[in-house]
Amino acid sequence: MASRAAELYLTATTQFGLEELLAEELRQLGATDLQVGTRVVEFKGNKQLLYEAVLWCRTAVRIMLPFASFAAPDERSLYREVSRIDWSQYLRPDQTFAITAVTNRSNLEHSLYIAQLSKDAIVDQFRARTGQRPSVDPVKPDVRLHLHLFENEAILSLDAVGESLHRRGYRQLTNEAPMNEVLAAGLILLSGWDGRRPLIDPMCGSGTILCEAAMIAQRIAPGLYHQGDFAFQHWPDFEQALWDSVLMDAKQARLEEPQAYLAGSDLSAETLERARQNVAAADLEDYIRLAVRDVRDAQPPKTEEPGIVLMNPPYGERIGAEAEMAGLYKTIGDTLKTNFQGYDAYIFTGNAEAAKSVGLRTSRRIPLYNGPIECRLLKYELYRGTRKGPKEE
């Protein structure tokens, strides 16, 4: 494994559409040789940068350390090549491990079987060399491995994270269709919000967008909310002193004085209570204002300069909800035109048809996904004193 100064080749994964944001986050941390792909960013950095990336990247889902690559056109070659790796460098017999596999355009097509075969090769090596074998724990393993098989070329990686980074740990309760934290942070960063101007979410649901905005404004590292250890803390070359130093720097970076006006509202008192509990769990009550309110009554603060409105309205996936959704999106458009002149508004939606009822011209349309649902982040510039007609579709 690596010394503190050794250069590491690392991989960070993210959601579709957030790759350039993640690359910029890594660049600001000091990563070099960045290569941006679909849902992935490859980069170089030392061990300190790895620790900082796990702690600070708002748009990363996983960060991995690839350590072996080989051709695996069939079962025999896969087992043989995995057996050739000295697994004592990465795993102890008293530790638990799990391996997940993804295959694409390869002779070996069944990912579960590939993972099982690789697991057997690892266990057989330990049993032959030491008489002991590490146990498999698919839920909370000490060491998590990923095997990616593409066109019969295999890459084995150590997962530095463990539980996905989108699970920050502050969300106690969510509504029925929650937006994950990585996507919420991504929407805020895509808007270009500066962390100073007002940010209003008039359909805030369980409050994820507002929590992520507060963390950005107050310079709070999202990894500080992580429950339990990160996976790299179980690696043989883990340096506790370095990790303690990185953690201390992150804790000291937090700004206590509120940096921006952040406000959210929702029509449902029950939903808003969930948001309150999440905000409290994240220790962000000093930075976020919440109120039960219909979207048509949403208002900007009177004294602040114009900021942004960012919302994720329902998509209306129920059968027969088309008219209801058209009415809701028309109400949203009317509210933006009337109450938020001078603001930039962003609507994140998976219902392109309903979005036509907003009645405002979009200045940007960014393709994204919310889980399996294809969505768009729509930007509207709400100029003072002008009413733009509906966009020609």
Side-chain angles (χ1 to χ4, degrees):
M1 299 287 284
S3 66
R4 181 180 292 195
E7 187 172 63
L8 306 174
Y9 293 81
L10 299 157
T11 300
T13 63
T14 187
Q15 293 188 209
F16 175 84
L18 306 183
E19 299 92 347
E20 292 293 346
L21 295 176
L22 176 55
E24 184 55 32
E25 287 192 281
L26 291 164
R27 195 175 286 113
Q28 289 182 12
L29 290 171
T32 58
D33 288 2
L34 291 104
Q35 304 289 325
V36 179
T38 302
R39 298 188 179 90
V40 68
V41 180
E42 297 174 7
F43 62 102
K44 291 181 189 174
N46 59 17
K47 193 183 292 184
Q48 179 172 330
L49 184 124
L50 169 63
Y51 293 1
E52 289 173 345
V54 169
L55 200 56
W56 278 102
C57 283
R58 302 182 193 281
T59 57
V61 174
R62 294 200 173 277
I63 296 176
M64 295 183 287
L65 174 65
F67 63 91
S69 62
F70 47 84
D74 51 43
E75 297 172 22
R76 205 167 171 182
S77 55
L78 176 64
Y79 183 92
R80 183 184 66 243
E81 293 299 330
V82 174
S83 298
R84 283 179 172 170
I85 297 164
D86 180 3
W87 285 102
S88 64
Q89 290 186 54
Y90 308 103
L91 184 62
R92 297 193 313 268
D94 62 334
Q95 288 182 310
T96 60
F97 79 104
I99 181 164
T100 56
V102 177
T103 179
N104 189 8
R105 288 168 30 191
S106 294
N107 296 342
L108 299 172
E109 296 178 338
H110 301 289
S111 56
L112 287 176
Y113 178 67
I114 294 166
Q116 180 70 33
L117 194 62
S118 303
K119 184 268 294 180
D120 289 345
I122 295 167
V123 167
D124 291 349
Q125 183 187 102
F126 273 99
R127 197 184 279 119
R129 290 183 179 181
T130 68
Q132 295 176 283
R133 54 152 289 178
S135 299
V136 173
D137 180 351
V139 182
K140 283 199 169 178
D142 296 321
V143 176
R144 193 182 293 268
L145 301 160
H146 288 270
L147 190 151
H148 185 215
L149 195 57
F150 178 71
E151 293 183 344
N152 298 327
E153 290 293 322
I155 297 176
L156 267 166
S157 302
L158 282 165
D159 181 353
V161 174
E163 189 166 37
S164 170
L165 289 175
H166 85 267
R167 293 197 170 98
R168 307 276 200 243
Y170 64 77
R171 285 211 303 196
Q172 310 299 296
L173 298 161
T174 64
N175 51 7
E176 287 179 13
M179 173 188 294
N180 81 46
E181 296 91 320
V182 160
L183 178 56
L187 297 183
I188 296 161
L189 295 171
L190 283 169
S191 77
W193 182 60
D194 62 2
R196 298 278 182 168
R197 294 186 299 146
L199 186 148
I200 317 290
D201 182 355
M203 303 185 84
C204 70
S206 54
T208 308
I209 287 173
L210 292 166
C211 287
E212 293 297 317
M215 289 159 57
I216 291 168
Q218 303 303 134
R219 247 188 272 160
I220 300 169
L224 292 174
Y225 293 104
H226 189 84
Q227 307 292 300
D229 290 344
F230 287 107
F232 69 77
Q233 293 176 260
H234 298 279
W235 293 359
D237 66 345
F238 172 61
E239 291 190 47
Q240 186 68 53
L242 177 60
W243 175 234
D244 288 343
S245 169
V246 168
L247 264 182
M248 181 63 70
D249 288 346
K251 288 172 181 174
Q252 291 177 345
R254 176 176 177 144
L255 303 172
E256 295 300 331
E257 194 66 29
Q259 300 297 301
Y261 179 97
L262 302 173
S265 54
D266 203 279
L267 185 57
S268 163
E270 183 184 350
T271 298
L272 203 79
E273 182 54 33
R274 293 188 192 122
R276 285 190 201 283
Q277 292 185 42
N278 291 337
V279 168
D283 190 25
L284 298 171
E285 301 104 310
D286 292 345
Y287 313 112
I288 298 170
R289 297 164 170 82
L290 294 170
V292 177
R293 187 176 294 133
D294 192 305
V295 66
R296 73 184 74 233
D297 299 320
Q299 294 282 347
K302 296 287 185 265
T303 55
E304 304 275 350
E305 64 171 314
I308 73 167
V309 181
L310 175 57
M311 69 177 95
N312 176 36
Y315 309 159
E317 291 158 299
R318 295 192 325 275
I319 293 172
E322 294 86 355
E324 180 188 343
M325 285 298 106
L328 173 62
Y329 280 68
K330 181 181 185 306
T331 299
I332 290 169
D334 291 345
T335 302
L336 293 175
K337 280 183 278 194
T338 306
N339 298 352
F340 288 94
Q341 290 187 13
Y343 272 64
D344 286 334
Y346 293 84
I347 296 175
F348 180 68
T349 181
N351 190 332
E353 193 58 37
K356 295 175 185 177
S357 299
V358 171
L360 289 162
R361 189 183 296 274
T362 54
S363 59
R364 284 181 77 193
R365 304 170 66 87
I366 303 170
L368 298 160
Y369 281 84
N370 189 357
I373 303 169
E374 187 175 349
C375 296
R376 293 289 185 274
L377 179 62
L378 307 173
K379 179 182 181 181
Y380 305 91
E381 296 175 18
L382 308 170
Y383 299 104
R384 291 186 189 278
T386 356
R387 292 210 175 178
K388 294 212 159 198
K391 180 174 177 179
E392 293 291 325
E393 294 295 337

